[in-house]
Amino acid sequence: MKNYILRAEDEIESAKHLYQNDFYRGTLNHCYYACTWLMRGLLAERGILTRMLDSAFSLFEEYVVQCEPIPLGIQQFIKMIVQEYHVLQKDIAGDFMADEILSYIEKTEDFLYFVKDQANLSD
């Protein structure tokens, strides 16, 4: 789990740097990847390894969300960030508002803290 958390932390730091320099599309991208690393970490804890981004989300919903008490706010955010990421991939001209992107960073950090707390319980 430690490597997954470290990767997610790197992505969050990259997101913050991009946000500070008004690169909102890149910020969203790094928040998405941070969440993906965290989802993959929770899956790996259950012996489920995946390298595919799309399968990480569906497997996360199937094997983690349905089996564990994941806070509803985190569940909703993960669904939203996955949707936003897919929009980002298709709409190269789309704009994002600074406040909206800042909330993505904050919610990604909330997910990180949740995963860290879960990892401490299992150690």
Side-chain angles (χ1 to χ4, degrees):
M1 176 59 87
K2 184 178 179 180
N3 285 336
Y4 292 97
I5 289 172
L6 290 173
R7 296 273 189 140
E9 289 173 335
D10 285 347
E11 294 290 347
I12 291 169
E13 288 306 311
S14 295
K16 289 177 180 179
H17 176 75
L18 290 168
Y19 177 79
Q20 291 169 351
N21 291 287
D22 300 327
F23 293 110
Y24 302 140
R25 294 175 57 80
T27 301
L28 172 65
N29 196 34
H30 284 280
C31 287
Y32 171 82
Y33 281 105
C35 289
T36 301
W37 280 111
L38 295 170
M39 286 186 282
R40 289 179 62 207
L42 290 170
L43 287 165
E45 290 282 300
R46 287 153 186 76
I48 302 166
L49 302 176
T50 181
R51 291 180 182 228
M52 304 299 292
L53 297 177
D54 290 339
S55 64
F57 176 67
S58 61
L59 290 170
F60 175 76
E61 282 198 314
E62 183 176 349
Y63 292 102
V64 179
V65 171
Q66 292 185 14
C67 301
E68 237 180 73
I70 305 288
L72 184 59
I74 290 175
Q75 291 179 44
Q76 291 170 336
F77 168 67
I78 291 169
K79 286 180 183 178
M80 190 231 1
I81 195 103
V82 168
Q83 290 171 345
E84 289 292 326
Y85 178 78
H86 289 298
V87 168
L88 176 72
Q89 297 305 305
K90 294 175 183 166
D91 180 10
I92 60 171
D95 291 326
F96 297 93
M97 303 300 293
D99 291 345
E100 177 184 31
I101 295 299
L102 181 58
S103 76
Y104 293 165
I105 294 171
E106 292 166 350
K107 290 175 183 175
T108 302
E109 287 182 317
D110 289 344
F111 187 27
L112 172 67
Y113 299 140
F114 172 79
V115 171
K116 282 182 166 183
D117 285 345
Q118 294 299 306
N120 286 335
L121 292 177
S122 64
D123 288 342

